[in-house]
Amino acid sequence: MSTSTSTTVVPARSAWSSVVREGETLTITDLHGNQAVDFLVYDARDTSVRYSAPDTIHAQGGIFLTTGSVLMSNEHTALMTVVADEVGRHDTVGGACSKESNTLRYGHHTWFQHACVDNFLAEGAKYGLGKRDLVSNINWYMNVPVEKDGTLGIVDGISAPGLSLTLRAERDVLVLVSNCPQINNPCNGFEPTAVEMTIGAAG
């Protein structure tokens, strides 16, 4: 059994992907603080089985993720489990920024700005995935409070430099990441920064 680890620094606004084998861990480190990390996960052997926000929210009885949260598939099976979390709350409902949502929220002058959907499409294409394969994603480190009237906010993050979370793969999974390029709301402190991905050997 391999005991090696591999670490990659993902630059600001960039995409990243990897297969994480069953039992291996993936640690995401917020190097500079206040950086949202958009995240999708698929069964590596059958990508039609993929992360499901409704199944995940239903299984754990809440919309925020933290230690112990299980990322469920559209077949209601476990894909990954959060085994450590130094932040304490992560978003499942805020979605990924796109050219379309940027122009709707912030004006047509933002159309040419890079967005998470662009990252997901470019990275997913390496594995034969297209737009119809993009589902509602997780936003690690993103602070999306829900008001009493159901309104969602996107506000300053609650992370800090060097804080991390660790997921364990419950089967061989394909992970797609967009290190969010959004500069029109506070999810990245208006200045996207690098994050670090570390894949650790199965225990």
Side-chain angles (χ1 to χ4, degrees):
M1 180 182 297
S2 173
T3 57
S4 63
T5 61
S6 64
T7 297
T8 304
V9 173
V10 183
R13 302 178 175 86
S14 296
W16 176 88
S17 62
S18 182
V19 171
V20 184
R21 300 298 179 187
E22 181 177 350
E24 290 183 336
T25 58
L26 172 63
T27 298
I28 305 172
T29 304
D30 187 4
L31 293 175
H32 302 280
N34 210 20
Q35 173 62 36
V37 179
D38 289 43
F39 182 97
L40 288 170
V41 57
Y42 303 79
D43 185 317
R45 300 175 189 273
D46 179 3
T47 56
S48 69
V49 180
R50 67 275 304 264
Y51 171 73
S52 168
D55 285 81
T56 300
I57 292 167
H58 177 261
Q60 66 174 359
I63 63 171
F64 298 114
L65 302 177
T66 188
T67 305
S69 297
V70 180
L71 310 188
M72 303 295 287
S73 76
N74 53 329
E75 294 187 345
H76 209 71
T77 52
L79 295 169
M80 304 186 86
T81 300
V82 182
V83 294
D85 176 20
E86 296 180 331
V87 177
R89 191 178 76 188
H90 304 269
D91 169 64
T92 59
V93 296
C97 60
S98 66
K99 294 180 183 299
E100 292 80 7
S101 66
N102 280 344
T103 56
L104 183 66
R105 290 173 175 166
Y106 310 114
H108 286 284
H109 67 283
T110 65
W111 174 259
F112 298 101
Q113 293 177 3
H114 196 52
C116 282
V117 168
D118 302 321
N119 275 342
F120 280 144
L121 289 173
E123 202 67 20
K126 299 176 182 178
Y127 307 91
L129 300 174
K131 199 158 194 175
R132 68 178 56 197
D133 298 300
L134 300 188
V135 294
S136 296
N137 61 288
I138 295 166
N139 294 303
W140 301 116
Y141 302 109
M142 191 162 148
N143 189 12
V144 185
V146 181
E147 308 298 340
K148 289 182 179 180
D149 64 358
T151 302
L152 301 180
I154 298 176
V155 298
D156 282 339
I158 55 175
S159 182
L163 295 188
S164 67
L165 65 100
T166 300
L167 301 131
R168 180 184 64 236
E170 304 300 349
R171 63 177 79 183
D172 292 356
V173 294
L174 168 64
V175 171
L176 300 185
V177 161
S178 171
N179 192 18
C180 184
Q182 181 61 256
I183 58 173
N184 300 292
N185 69 49
C187 73
N188 299 319
F190 299 103
E191 184 179 354
T193 54
V195 296
E196 185 178 82
M197 303 287 165
T198 301
I199 297 175

